[in-house]
Amino acid sequence: MARTAAVPVILEEEYESRRADLAKELKPNSLFLLLSAKPQQRSHDTEFPYRQNSNFYYLTGFKEENAALVIVRGKKAFNTYLFVQKKEKQLELWTGKRLGEKRAKKLFHVDNVFTSELLHEKVLGLLSKSKNFYYDFNVTDTRLDALREKAKSLLAHYNAATLVERARLVKSPAEIRLIKHAISITKEAHHRAMKLSKQLTTEKELQAEIEYVFTKNGAYSDAYTSIVASGNAANTLHYIENNKALKDGELILIDAGCEYEYYASDITRTIPANGKFSKAQKELYEMILNVEKEIISMVRVGVLRSHLQKRAQELLCRGLVSLGILEGECKKLLKKGKLNKYYPHGIGHWMGLDVHDQAPYKDAKGKEIPLCEGMVLTIEPGIYIDKDDKSVPKKYRGIGIRIEDDILVRGSGYENLSAAIAKEVQEIESM
Ligand SMILES: [Mn+2]
């Protein structure tokens, strides 16, 4: 079970070149500011595990709270500033070691490192010489409020997040290695679920087995809250209670992926609780699996996501008609929106530092961005049939199926990063 493969990392040089690329995008005489994420309280005296803001992390690789990145661009040249928490022995005794400004200066290729106490004063000084102020419009933070207030009348304001998110669309080789690593851990977790489903009695137990694999392998337990939905619960798209008993004869939809060093994986598999698909389950499952494979095979440079969505709708509609779940001509059924009841969601989303990667789907002019080499997206068709849907043949009621893989866009086509996770009926049953 030991994981021997070398663990991938992103080198400081890469963060440095990301900052340089970003600085080129700034207007001359600009100040760009990104803040670390704020800690989130869970209950009195208790916080959620700290998780760095993805945009801030993308440009710094710095994991501590109460930090800030500033890029000051003059006419051409630019300067970078990192603000970090001061080392304080007594506080570190409670909350863990801090890097401090001396070590940060050594490890991070930024021009200047200061302690966070100086952020307000330094940025105010730098702003007074700037014409444009970039900051994240969506962040509410007292550290930002005071600066924004002071800079209100002086400067033109731009959303810093938009620039970073655009850069995040295309993944570097190092990022792809991290995503692959996350997926390899998630693979082990899904395969464990397939092997154990027969002997476990509740969704919770299955969730625990999956997250055990995530945690044991050094991943953050989940990139998003795991969905372990058996039987009719699979027809609630964001079911996270995961508290039902597993029943013989039902399917279990498992949408779970770990986050490894900030990079997500997002995988759904639907498996039979007793280890064997019934005839009706298999019919529906194989129809969706064929659609998933066909949509994946369409992924290549230049393709539009909306085109994949449209094709998935056509194929799923045709499949439902062939199984007698929908009746009529597909074109008309789609026009009337008859498929939406059974397939209400999109075909997939960008994935990276966030499971639903915060990267744009449209360009500045509002035009859809076609697939480019290095993008990573999920492909996840599904069909959901409520147990009380009398319009559907009885054998299909109460079945919800989704199959989801993570796909890298390559020049010549695609690479299914999660191809090694079992999804053929035979493979799943033989586990
Ligand atoms: Mn997904």
Side-chain angles (χ1 to χ4, degrees):
M1 290 289 260
R3 194 161 291 276
T4 47
V7 171
V9 287
I10 294 179
L11 299 174
E12 178 54 22
E13 283 74 14
E14 181 164 339
Y15 290 108
E16 192 180 12
S17 80
R18 289 177 189 174
R19 291 189 291 267
D21 287 344
L22 186 116
K24 276 185 219 140
E25 300 271 320
L26 301 176
K27 292 178 189 298
N29 303 311
S30 291
L31 186 140
F32 173 98
L33 167 71
L34 270 190
L35 299 172
S36 60
K38 279 192 297 185
Q40 301 292 323
Q41 189 175 16
R42 185 173 182 279
S43 69
H44 182 60
D45 265 354
T46 308
E47 285 177 355
F48 283 106
Y50 184 73
R51 206 265 187 196
Q52 191 54 278
N53 172 281
S54 294
N55 285 337
F56 180 84
Y57 189 78
Y58 180 80
L59 290 178
T60 63
F62 192 61
K63 295 176 180 176
E64 287 181 27
E65 62 186 84
N66 196 9
L69 170 71
V70 172
I71 302 175
V72 175
R73 184 188 154 152
K75 269 211 179 90
K76 271 194 180 141
F78 69 95
N79 266 295
T80 51
Y81 299 74
L82 186 64
F83 293 83
V84 303
Q85 303 180 98
K86 190 162 79 184
K87 283 200 78 64
E88 271 181 79
K89 275 237 164 71
Q90 196 55 29
L91 273 175
E92 288 180 48
L93 174 70
W94 287 90
T95 54
K97 287 269 175 252
R98 296 169 171 188
L99 198 61
E101 69 261 43
K102 270 196 198 126
R103 293 271 297 146
K105 181 88 182 94
K106 253 195 193 139
L107 293 171
F108 293 86
H109 298 184
V110 287
D111 301 311
N112 309 280
V113 177
F114 295 109
T115 60
S116 297
E117 286 86 14
L118 295 172
L119 176 71
H120 189 81
E121 181 196 325
K122 291 278 178 201
V123 171
L124 269 189
L126 292 164
L127 272 175
S128 70
K129 291 173 235 153
S130 306
K131 290 207 171 89
N132 308 293
F133 187 20
Y134 291 76
Y135 57 87
D136 188 339
F137 285 4
N138 297 320
V139 158
T140 48
D141 193 310
T142 48
R143 291 176 290 171
L144 182 61
D145 293 343
L147 291 167
R148 209 168 32 191
E149 195 52 39
K150 287 259 165 68
K152 215 178 200 170
S153 55
L154 283 169
L155 311 147
H157 295 219
Y158 299 94
N159 194 349
T162 312
L163 291 181
V164 191
E165 285 154 14
R166 215 182 295 148
R168 283 171 50 189
L169 257 176
V170 171
K171 272 68 183 174
S172 72
E175 289 184 287
I176 291 163
R177 281 195 292 275
L178 281 167
I179 291 172
K180 282 183 173 174
H181 194 78
I183 291 171
S184 77
I185 296 169
T186 295
K187 177 187 86 172
E188 195 178 317
H190 275 272
H191 284 177
R192 186 177 178 88
M194 290 173 194
K195 282 172 196 149
L196 292 177
S197 70
K198 216 173 159 177
Q199 65 200 74
L200 298 179
T201 56
T202 64
E203 295 168 345
K204 261 295 171 255
E205 284 176 78
L206 210 41
Q207 179 184 3
E209 293 290 347
I210 289 164
E211 290 171 6
Y212 160 70
V213 177
F214 292 169
T215 308
K216 170 185 80 154
N217 286 298
Y220 184 72
S221 64
D222 47 19
Y224 52 97
T225 306
S226 305
I227 296 170
V228 181
S230 64
N232 197 56
N235 296 315
T236 303
L237 292 179
H238 289 155
Y239 175 82
I240 51 170
E241 288 84 1
N242 304 340
N243 57 6
K244 281 180 23 182
L246 299 174
K247 272 201 206 126
D248 186 26
E250 287 186 339
L251 291 179
I252 314 166
L253 185 155
I254 301 174
D255 187 346
C258 74
E259 177 179 299
Y260 186 82
E261 281 296 301
Y262 284 80
Y263 282 84
S265 55
D266 186 5
I267 301 293
T268 308
R269 290 292 183 263
T270 307
I271 62 173
N274 64 14
K276 202 158 168 45
F277 287 88
S278 74
K279 191 164 170 283
Q281 288 166 349
K282 192 170 153 182
E283 285 165 2
L284 202 54
Y285 183 88
E286 292 200 311
M287 186 277 281
I288 298 163
L289 181 60
N290 287 333
V291 173
E292 200 232 12
K293 287 190 207 163
E294 176 146 355
I295 300 300
I296 290 173
S297 75
M298 290 168 68
V299 171
R300 67 177 66 86
V301 170
V303 168
L304 295 176
R305 226 172 102 263
S306 60
H307 183 62
L308 299 178
Q309 172 73 359
K310 200 164 158 259
R311 185 71 184 141
Q313 285 169 337
E314 284 167 9
L315 292 170
L316 288 170
C317 190
R318 203 187 290 168
L320 291 184
V321 169
S322 76
L323 294 174
I325 292 168
L326 280 174
E327 265 173 68
E329 205 193 313
C330 268
K331 253 195 185 150
K332 280 186 193 154
L333 289 168
L334 287 170
K335 223 177 186 173
K336 286 190 201 152
K338 294 287 184 196
L339 181 68
N340 297 351
K341 183 162 93 172
Y342 305 112
Y343 173 54
H345 57 73
I347 189 60
H349 49 82
W350 306 138
M351 193 191 80
L353 284 170
D354 300 306
V355 61
H356 288 196
D357 217 19
Q358 203 168 1
Y361 290 95
K362 290 177 179 168
D363 65 17
K365 287 177 194 143
K367 256 185 76 185
E368 192 181 347
I369 299 171
L371 298 184
C372 297
E373 183 154 19
M375 288 178 175
V376 175
L377 75 161
T378 65
I379 296 293
E380 48 179 310
I383 290 291
Y384 314 90
I385 301 170
D386 192 82
K387 67 175 174 32
D388 298 322
D389 189 342
K390 298 266 178 343
S391 70
V392 174
K394 204 169 173 206
K395 58 179 178 176
Y396 297 125
R397 291 182 207 158
I399 298 180
I401 297 171
R402 179 167 63 254
I403 308 167
E404 174 178 34
D405 282 298
D406 302 335
I407 311 297
L408 167 66
V409 184
R410 287 255 190 228
S412 53
Y414 69 91
E415 180 182 345
N416 182 352
L417 301 176
S418 46
I421 306 180
K423 64 178 173 181
E424 298 294 334
V425 166
Q426 277 271 299
E427 288 178 295
I428 293 173
E429 289 185 345
S430 69
M431 294 255 184

